[in-house]
Amino acid sequence: KAGVTQTPRYLIKTRGQQVTLSCSPISGHRSVSWYQQTPGQGLQFLFEYFSETQRNKGNFPGRFSGRQFSNSRSEMNVSTLELGDSALYLCASSLRQYNSPLHFGNGTRLTVT
Amino acid sequence: GEDVEQSLFLSVREGDSSVINCTYTDSSSTYLYWYKQEPGAGLQLLTYIFSNMDMKQDQRLTVLLNKKDKHLSLRIADTQTGDSAIYFCAESSTGGYNKLIFGAGTRLAVHP
């Protein structure tokens, strides 16, 4: 079974631009979550979706948004990029609605210059 | 609030056992997890333990859970150079759904 697939693997953007990251979950998984990983803050939860509904959101500004499609694929968008948005963005999928192990993709490395 | 703490660095000799420790604050966490991250990669789920268990063994990995002290440990037997990585402890958030709270990660260095 294919794992979680994230595209692209690397992105370089300029301050003020916007970016869209994509995530395809493991087949059959309907829960998708997103995390930001930085050296200073570690792994921080962004949001979680189940059946196209955002059920939980982390403490990030409104510039960070996401959505989930009917096939469970998910995208996250960051608008008006700042230097501090440079990070590894990790997507994870889970089989069940609650208390289900998260399986992570290899991430998208975003660099903002 | 929810918090997970880990020591930042561990160095062991190849063939020895490694023990990585973690403390957490949320006593109502249902599951506790161990993930491994190698350079340039995402997080690999190693193992997890349900909160009503004390111990779980999976090949070279042994997880011990002390609920009273909110202490979790991961023991890797016969540590190999391929085990060099960052290991993250995580607890399931009582905020529900599938949100995890991660520790800062323990960097394991295995030397000959």
Side-chain angles (χ1 to χ4, degrees):
Chain A
K1 202 180 238 189
V4 177
T5 304
Q6 291 188 247
T7 56
R9 283 282 279 136
Y10 301 94
L11 266 177
I12 300 175
K13 291 286 187 180
T14 305
R15 259 184 312 176
Q17 289 185 314
Q18 75 161 14
V19 67
T20 300
L21 314 182
S22 181
C23 173
S24 293
I26 292 171
S27 177
H29 286 197
R30 290 164 62 197
S31 168
V32 174
S33 358
W34 290 87
Y35 288 77
Q36 181 196 64
Q37 186 177 27
T38 60
Q41 299 298 316
L43 282 153
Q44 293 188 285
F45 171 78
L46 279 157
F47 22 67
E48 190 261 354
Y49 291 88
F50 184 85
S51 291
E52 302 179 68
T53 299
Q54 184 184 93
R55 302 191 297 177
N56 214 340
K57 188 175 183 348
N59 190 23
F60 279 82
R63 300 185 296 107
F64 290 81
S65 63
R67 59 178 180 166
Q68 187 182 33
F69 302 95
S70 58
N71 62 359
S72 295
R73 195 176 69 82
S74 176
E75 288 180 348
M76 69 163 278
N77 185 278
V78 188
S79 63
T80 319
L81 283 165
E82 300 178 0
L83 295 178
D85 297 333
S86 294
L88 180 66
Y89 289 88
L90 292 163
C91 171
S93 72
S94 309
L95 180 61
R96 298 185 302 271
Q97 285 195 54
Y98 301 98
N99 294 317
S100 181
L102 271 61
H103 299 269
F104 284 83
N106 281 326
T108 294
R109 170 77 59 187
L110 172 65
T111 302
V112 182
T113 61
Chain B
E2 300 159 323
D3 193 22
V4 177
E5 292 193 358
Q6 301 177 239
S7 52
L8 294 183
F9 189 75
L10 177 65
S11 177
V12 299
R13 192 186 303 273
E14 194 174 12
D16 287 352
S17 291
S18 308
V19 179
I20 303 172
N21 295 302
C22 165
T23 57
Y24 60 97
T25 56
D26 191 345
S27 57
S28 57
S29 285
T30 311
Y31 284 95
L32 295 139
Y33 301 86
W34 285 103
Y35 285 87
K36 175 184 180 183
Q37 187 175 37
E38 296 181 85
L43 301 180
Q44 175 193 351
L45 176 63
L46 284 178
T47 186
Y48 58 97
I49 187 167
F50 190 50
S51 57
N52 69 354
M53 298 171 64
D54 297 325
M55 185 183 89
K56 181 179 180 182
Q57 190 152 359
D58 185 0
Q59 298 183 329
R60 293 190 298 122
L61 305 179
T62 303
V63 179
L64 293 178
L65 174 60
N66 181 327
K67 272 198 87 170
K68 176 175 165 289
D69 295 337
K70 297 179 192 168
H71 183 267
L72 182 74
S73 67
L74 173 70
R75 178 177 178 269
I76 305 172
D78 187 25
T79 313
Q80 302 297 308
T81 54
D83 296 322
S84 295
I86 301 176
Y87 291 79
F88 291 93
C89 168
E91 63 173 347
S92 53
S93 167
T94 50
Y97 309 124
N98 292 318
K99 176 183 175 183
L100 297 185
I101 307 298
F102 285 90
T106 299
R107 183 178 296 274
L108 174 64
V110 182
H111 56 88

